[in-house]
Amino acid sequence: MSTIIYPAPIFGPVTSRRLGRSLGVNLLPPDGKLCSFDCVYCECGLNAERRPKLDMTPRHIVAAELSRRLALMKEAGELLDAITFSGNGEPTSHPDFGRIVEDVIAIRNQFYPNARVCLLTNSTHLPRKEVFEAVQKIDRLCLKLDTVDPDYIRLVDRPQTRYDVTEMVERMKLLSGRCIIQTMFMKGTVNGVSVDNTGDEYVLPWLEAVREIAPAAVDIYTISRETPLKTLQKASAKELERIVQLVRNAGIDAHAYG
């Protein structure tokens, strides 16, 4: 059982495969996981195993703690590449997400104006007007799209709210050129059913959706940390590179993180 639970509201800095030296902003409770997905590969564990008892951190505390941490880092001469909304679940679930984004940008500008404000999101709340408007202010917007196969989504991503992947792709298309698609490729089984999405059966329909979205780039990755289910396996570097090349052949920048 995975045991990574991040403190709130600020954690790190951590070294990210994609974002460099990144300070995390966790808007979810510090004692558990709260997410609109329940991915079988989540490093924070399954939702039912990590039910929080505390509330989400209020907006004013997020701003105060971020200011305090950045002031200390600046005084110590520390480098910082990114400030990233991530943590114990889906960041855009916070009711004050839009206003917190504005706070974080303003605080970033005060202390580390060259650092990028980033968001890792499963995209479930993009249909909400206030969330859609807020994400457009973020420098690096990473949207999860593991597949366009509804059965695979139900088996692996396990949405906890209404989720229509066709509708989600349409929302992502409205962010074309600004967003980065992030996709988990893996192998193994869930309840005896294969979750290998590295073959053309899954890759080609996903690639067509990526073409329609026309993102700034695609981040392709595989399992790198402990997962809740022991039946999951990493995709190979060769498999990831094949998919990267398919995306590049479609005229879209892509990178693999194994």
Side-chain angles (χ1 to χ4, degrees):
M1 181 171 63
S2 183
T3 58
I4 298 178
I5 292 294
Y6 295 96
I10 309 299
F11 64 92
V14 299
T15 300
S16 166
R17 293 180 289 174
R18 292 167 287 170
L19 306 177
R21 195 163 192 263
S22 172
L23 189 68
V25 179
N26 175 27
L27 302 182
L28 289 309
D31 65 332
K33 182 187 172 193
L34 191 62
C35 194
S36 50
F37 270 13
D38 191 18
C39 299
V40 295
Y41 57 77
C42 182
E43 67 186 25
C44 295
L46 301 178
N47 291 1
E49 298 169 351
R50 294 286 185 267
R51 297 293 185 194
K53 296 179 181 177
L54 300 176
D55 295 328
M56 297 184 194
T57 305
R59 173 191 175 190
H60 70 279
I61 294 179
V62 175
E65 184 60 17
L66 180 61
S67 294
R68 186 186 72 83
R69 288 292 303 279
L70 290 183
L72 290 172
M73 290 176 62
K74 189 77 171 179
E75 183 179 358
E78 295 187 49
L79 298 177
L80 186 66
D81 298 309
I83 301 169
T84 305
F85 289 100
S86 55
N88 305 333
E90 175 50 43
T92 62
S93 297
H94 197 292
D96 278 332
F97 177 74
R99 286 177 288 182
I100 291 174
V101 167
E102 294 176 353
D103 292 343
V104 169
I105 291 172
I107 296 166
R108 181 276 311 271
N109 291 345
Q110 179 182 356
F111 292 102
Y112 283 90
N114 293 326
R116 296 174 298 174
V117 175
C118 307
L119 169 67
L120 306 182
T121 175
N122 62 27
S123 308
T124 50
H125 296 305
L126 283 183
R128 288 169 46 196
K129 180 175 181 290
E130 64 274 20
V131 171
F132 190 77
E133 291 176 351
V135 301
Q136 296 183 69
K137 302 172 185 176
I138 290 171
D139 300 317
R140 185 178 175 92
L141 173 59
C142 301
L143 308 178
K144 177 194 291 291
L145 184 66
D146 286 342
T147 181
V148 293
D149 185 287
D151 291 335
Y152 191 94
I153 291 169
R154 283 190 289 270
L155 180 66
V156 172
D157 295 329
R158 307 199 302 178
Q160 305 296 289
T161 58
R162 179 186 174 275
Y163 183 87
D164 183 326
V165 68
T166 302
E167 176 186 346
M168 211 56 59
V169 168
E170 290 301 313
R171 298 300 287 180
M172 292 177 181
K173 287 163 65 174
L174 297 176
L175 297 166
S176 64
R178 295 209 70 255
C179 68
I180 295 169
I181 297 301
Q182 57 174 13
T183 301
M184 167 69 81
F185 287 98
M186 63 180 183
K187 306 177 85 166
T189 61
V190 173
N191 299 328
V193 178
S194 172
V195 293
D196 182 350
N197 62 337
T198 63
D200 286 348
E201 174 188 2
Y202 290 103
V203 171
L204 296 184
W206 166 85
L207 180 60
E208 183 56 36
V210 170
R211 283 197 189 98
E212 293 179 9
I213 295 166
V218 177
D219 285 345
I220 290 168
Y221 62 111
T222 191
I223 296 166
S224 65
R225 298 173 182 167
E226 184 183 3
T227 61
L229 300 187
K230 305 306 179 187
T231 54
L232 305 179
Q233 302 168 11
K234 291 169 66 77
S236 70
K238 183 177 180 180
E239 288 165 327
L240 296 182
E241 284 302 325
R242 181 186 84 88
I243 298 167
V244 164
Q245 195 56 55
L246 288 172
V247 177
R248 290 176 178 169
N249 290 346
I252 300 169
D253 188 26
H255 299 274
Y257 301 88

